[in-house]
Amino acid sequence: MTRTTAITVSTKRPLGVALLLTLLLALFLGVFTASPAHAVECVPDAATGCVQGVIKTGAGDPAAGIKLTLKGDGESQSVETDAEGRWAFAITAAGTYSVSVEKSSLPEGQFFKSADTREVEAQLNSQASALFPLTDNEAEASGGETSTTGKGEAASSSSADSFSWPRFWQQFVSGIRMGLLISLASLGLSLIFGTTGLSNFAHGEMVTLGGLLAALFMGLTGNLWIAGLLAVVASAAFGWAQDKVLWKPLRKRRLSLMQLMIVSIGLSITMQYLFQFFWGSGVIRIDKSTPATWTFFGVTLTVQSYIAMGISLLAIIGVGLGLMYTRFGRATRAISDNPALARASGIDVDRVINIVWIIGAGLAGLAGVFLGLVFNGLNWFTGGQLLLMFFAAVTLGGLGTAFGAFIGSMLIGMMVELTNIWLPGDLKYATALLLLILILLVRPQGIFGRKERIG
Amino acid sequence: MSDAAVRSNAHIEGYPYDREALRAELRTLDQVPGVAKRDPILTVDRIERRFGGMTAVNVAHLEVPRGAITALIGPNGAGKTTFFNLITGFDQPSNGQKLIGGGDARWSFNGKDLRRTGASQAARAGMVRTFQLTKALSRMTVLENMLIGANNQPGENIFVGLIPPLWKARERENVERAKDLLARFKLDAKINDMAGDLSGGQKKLLEMARALMSNPAMIMLDEPMAGVNPALTQSLLDHIQALRDDGTTVLFVEHDMHMVRHISDWVVVMAQGEVIAEGLPEEVMTSQAVVDAYLGAHHDKDLGDDDALNTGFMRAIATEIADEVEEETR
Amino acid sequence: MNFWFELLQNILQIAISPTTAAFVLAAIGLNVHFGFTGLMNMGQAGFMLVGAYGFGVSVSYFGLGFWAAIAVAVGAAVVFAIILGIPTLKLRGDYLAIVTIAAAEVIRMVVKLAVLQDITGGPSGIPGNKYRPVFTELSPLPDGKTTILGITYANTGVDDWWTRIVAWGLVALFLLITWLLIRSPWGRVLKGIREDEDAVRSLGKSSYAYKLQALILGGIMGAFGGVVMALPAAMQPDSMGRPMTFNLWMIVLLGGAATIFGPLLGSILFFVVRLLLTSLAGEFIPSSLLNTQQTEQLAWVLIGLALILLVVFRPQGVLGNKKELSFNV
Ligand SMILES: Nc1ncnc2c1ncn2[C@@H]1O[C@H](COP(=O)(O)OP(=O)(O)O)[C@@H](O)[C@H]1O
Ligand SMILES: [Mg+2]
């Protein structure tokens, strides 16, 4: 990764005055590179120049995990694009460099629209960029590249920015898929919020954990079903442990909700960098085989996507029915309504909350497994990136109501995928967040929420 | 109450009222819900608040007489607090006026239409309330609590606040005033304590004193006696009466019937969100409607109907209450 | 010996660096939000970003001069605060947290848009030399270099004394402003709002207006932080994302929320401790065990843990007073 490159290059220098500068620089870079959104980062300064760019799929989504090589000035570096499709090289001497993209690392169904190698003129203290436009339309691909087989998910769409009914339909189903995956995570977030009042900023990391564990278990067992199951079980166990070790003692200490929220932010940072430490910052794939696709009423998705949607729906219905008809469900709702009253009427509040954590974490883990499969890989920040979508979903539905969280999730999922038809892919999360802000403007308590009482 | 600052209410037109004259006038009124007063300070029309399917408040018409102590009574859940919230802008009526359209809820205070004003504007119009669950600013001192109650401090503007000479003089005046009020409420020894360290009753007193810092035309007290040390009750009653004597209109919610009858000039009874009776304390509290309401019986709109009290049991309780009332009057 | 001497010098350097000053500025703003008013602003980085881009784009794209560009930066922060504040300041605290974090992300995504490449530089941002000249040309310092306490920088240049003087001058100014305001009746109302908003409303203060003023004031401070951060370096959208906000929270909590000097102390501590961690690890742990990147990651893990421990065991921070603690939801 470039970030390492920049830092290791600088530490190679001799000690002395230069070290002062470079340490400062390293720290500076540290500050800048701290942004988890990008492991790929390069900041130009007097001793550094950057060659960088973003690679997007034909549909406008960032293309992660693409390998690039930079050659020139007697050196050669390689990087992979990060989750947002970004790549960057840091150079320490001005000159002409050539950047090439490894064709085999392109996502399935993506082709070069033009060249796969470009020459760039790079200078210190400045940035140079190179474009590698991709297309999902074989006809548009540059000569000789069309031999690649296999169809990507967006293969049925003709162009990134024009409306057509088949494309709408494709995105609509993708929206349902996205909504269901978001639901899995936001149900847990909502249940935890409802029973404990905690806005859990570490919920995204519980999702990531599920996916990463699935990859780990996949490596160990080789069976996707077993790996997924183990990952969910391990996630649920993590939820149990988290509550026992962290949250329950903190509740006993009577920390305010704001404090708890900041604790969850600290936990989120800790987990993100532990993930990086153990799994690196690249894309981790759970299932390394080329996923089979299935076209159904004109919608092409991977078979795994269909299975994921089915299981998600079952899990959501299961949790919904459980909340409505079981003793545990009634206890959960009683606690959400009035914890003191619930405790007074003999409900073992701590036990119920513990179960809520187990279920919430298990669902989040499941969401992580499916996200890793459906989007063909995940990294340490996958959950963190979606965290705001979960919050948006839960807030939209009205904080703390499970059914609201589900409806909110479906709305957000649709929003994310459908706006993709008209707006640049960069904005697909932005529109969902804007929707959140707008809805709060007209209905602050969310769609299904209640107002608080005063006096 | 001899304090000049509190007296400043005398500028309200038509004041001072003679208490006996006021009572005599109130005595001439029909004792029916929504009866018109000669000089109402607060007039409420068709205000309604629903929570889900439940109607918490549904008041057709109510006038609060100026210069009097009006008690608002009713069983728990009658909607008294919600009514306070609506009037003071802390909650919005379900039939309230919206940006476009909306209902016909209407209420005005001191001739000022308050339909679309927020809580702070209502307070600035001269209607300051306290809360059933006290809201002391816990991590501020008692004095700071008081100073925040004043509404004439120019330094509360961000730009003026930057330049101390522009607000220091007023601050000194307000500190004096605060000390006077605190002395009156027996809180002067606590002036530099954190408000959170006061007892529950002291917090109630502080909240009341704080509300008085701005010389409100009307003060609305939500259960001022709840949690106050009985030894302090009498002095609190005296304070409230002194307020009235100084020209402040008082509207208060209270469950203590003794207190209600002792100091109030007029009583409004709410049950299930509606004003079911209104009248002089001696009379209204023995009326069937009120007895009925407190017994939790479902009463019909026709309050003259005796059916609800037909059983001997009901009558027994009614007379019991009436006796009690009489006893307390003595 | 040499190592320790240099470490000391590094510490000094980091303590006076413009980046540290930028963090202090933004943290003072966040302290106005959270410490004094109780607003859970989780999008302070967004204010830095609108400030930095307001300034940078004004100069690099519209060709405005320094003062006009600063006015744009401040104006952008004011507008951002108003847009954020209107829907959220009437809501419960946690809604504000979610909306501010969302809005900060939205604004970051927007400036990164490829279609805005010409204006904002898209994902790669705006190189410093496109906007820095309007600032350096104001420098009254003579040409050349100056060494103070063994630290040498150009008087006026890319990462120079001029930037440091202005940055820390701003810090001093903002500290003075907060000090004056917090002791004023205006500050008292803010404190009251932090304690119980409804009580303050019942006393005739529009808590909404006060919160909006506080949001704007702290936002402007954040915007200056963004400008100061961008001046000696380049303008990078992703350097002003969520982690930046979290760092600022760490700084405010570390120094002590609701204290005047908390953000200053917190910021310096934060940078110095990080420097110590990474350079000590770099010096004494062989890179076969822990390479630079891993050291960096572990430093972040420690930051996360420190945030947890801090908020649990010493929520008042180094300077704060437990009695005046401002967590109230
Ligand atoms: N925010 C609220 N949500 C739902 N119900 C409420 C709310 N506030 C009050 N209520 C209901 O409205 C009714 C009137 O309450 P309240 O005004 O507090 O009564 P009172 O003060 O007369 O005892 C009660 O039944 C109460 O449960
Ligand atoms: Mg009440």
Side-chain angles (χ1 to χ4, degrees), chain A residues 7 20 23 27-28 32 34-36 38 52 84 86 127 256-259 261 263 276 384 388 399 440 444, chain C residues 10 14 19 40 87 91-92 95 97 99 101 105 112 124 236 238-239 242-243 292-293 297 300 311 327 329:
Chain A
I7 294 167
L20 293 183
L23 271 173
L27 197 90
F28 228 110
F32 282 120
S35 162
H38 307 281
Q52 60 194 37
E84 297 194 3
R86 295 171 43 122
Q127 289 152 329
S256 73
L257 294 180
M258 281 193 188
Q259 277 170 297
M261 177 165 146
V263 168
Q276 272 197 57
L388 288 179
L399 289 180
L440 286 179
Chain C
N10 285 344
I14 200 87
T19 313
M40 290 292 275
L91 310 180
R92 220 170 42 197
Y95 281 100
V99 169
I101 199 172
E105 289 288 292
K112 277 173 71 179
S124 45
Q236 280 278 323
D238 294 323
S239 66
R242 246 190 280 173
T292 327
Q293 189 184 16
Q297 286 161 355
W300 274 101
V311 79
F327 294 101
V329 173

Side-chain angles (χ1 to χ4, degrees), chain B residues 216-238:
Chain B
M218 176 164 94
I219 183 162
M220 301 170 67
L221 308 169
D222 200 346
E223 306 203 6
M225 292 301 175
V228 175
N229 177 351
L232 269 175
T233 317
Q234 190 53 47
S235 80
L236 199 58
L237 291 185
D238 294 343

Side-chain angles (χ1 to χ4, degrees), chain A residues 453 455, chain B residues 76-77 79-82 132 222-223 253 255:
Chain A
R453 84 165 280 173
Chain B
N76 285 324
K80 305 178 297 289
T81 299
T82 308
Q132 181 172 352
D222 200 346
E223 306 203 6
V253 171
H255 283 299

Side-chain angles (χ1 to χ4, degrees), chain C residues 201-242:
Chain C
R201 290 207 293 158
S202 78
L203 297 169
K205 328 279 177 218
S206 168
S207 62
Y208 187 57
Y210 279 92
K211 288 200 282 185
L212 196 57
Q213 288 169 11
L215 192 65
I216 291 174
L217 179 69
I220 291 175
M221 292 172 170
F224 274 103
V227 175
V228 167
M229 178 140 157
L231 275 177
M235 204 161 283
Q236 280 278 323
D238 294 323
S239 66
M240 293 179 246
R242 246 190 280 173

Side-chain angles (χ1 to χ4, degrees), chain A residues 3-4 7-8 16 19-20 23-24 27-28 30-32 34-38 41-42 52 54 84 86 127 193 199 201 250 253 255-259 261-263 265-267 269-270 273-274 276-277 281 381 384-385 387-388 391 395 399 426-427 429-430 433 436-437 440-441 444-445 452 454, chain C residues 6 9-10 13-14 19 23 34 38 40 42 86-87 91-92 94-95 97-99 101-103 105-106 108-110 112-114 123-124 129 153 159 198 229 233 236 238-239 242-243 246 249 253 271 274-275 290 292-294 296-298 300-301 304-305 307-308 311-313 315 327-329:
Chain A
R3 163 159 113 123
T4 4
I7 294 167
T8 34
L19 182 76
L20 293 183
L23 271 173
L24 192 70
L27 197 90
F28 228 110
V31 171
F32 282 120
S35 162
H38 307 281
E41 202 77 278
C42 170
Q52 60 194 37
V54 181
E84 297 194 3
R86 295 171 43 122
Q127 289 152 329
F193 178 86
S199 302
F201 274 70
L250 292 185
R253 281 181 70 104
L255 254 65
S256 73
L257 294 180
M258 281 193 188
Q259 277 170 297
M261 177 165 146
I262 296 174
V263 168
I265 289 175
L267 183 65
I269 297 175
T270 306
Y273 286 91
L274 282 177
Q276 272 197 57
F277 190 78
S281 38
F381 195 55
Q385 194 166 35
L387 178 73
L388 288 179
F391 271 125
T395 316
L399 289 180
D426 313 332
L427 273 184
Y429 293 124
L433 296 177
L436 165 72
I437 296 174
L440 286 179
L441 194 63
Q445 65 273 42
E452 283 174 287
I454 298 173
Chain C
E6 274 161 11
Q9 233 174 6
N10 285 344
Q13 248 172 347
I14 200 87
T19 313
F23 274 71
F34 170 69
M40 290 292 275
M42 284 287 158
I86 284 177
L91 310 180
R92 220 170 42 197
D94 35 4
Y95 281 100
I98 290 166
V99 169
I101 199 172
E105 289 288 292
V106 169
R108 191 174 59 83
M109 291 173 193
V110 169
K112 277 173 71 179
L113 277 183
S124 45
N129 55 17
Y153 293 110
D159 184 26
D198 286 331
M229 178 140 157
Q236 280 278 323
D238 294 323
S239 66
R242 246 190 280 173
F246 294 162
W249 271 89
L253 291 174
F271 278 98
R274 270 194 61 189
L275 177 74
L290 213 55
T292 327
Q293 189 184 16
Q294 287 168 324
E296 188 72 19
Q297 286 161 355
L298 283 187
W300 274 101
V301 170
L305 289 176
L307 190 57
I308 296 177
V311 79
V312 173
F313 293 107
F327 294 101
N328 54 358
V329 173

Side-chain angles (χ1 to χ4, degrees), chain C residues 3 11 23 32 43 53 87 99 123 129 142 145 147 159 172 183 206 243 276 278 283 289 320:
Chain C
F3 169 79
I11 288 175
F23 274 71
V32 169
Y53 273 82
V99 169
N129 55 17
K145 293 185 172 191
T147 306
D159 184 26
R183 292 158 49 96
S206 168
L276 278 176
T278 41
E283 179 74 11
L289 271 182

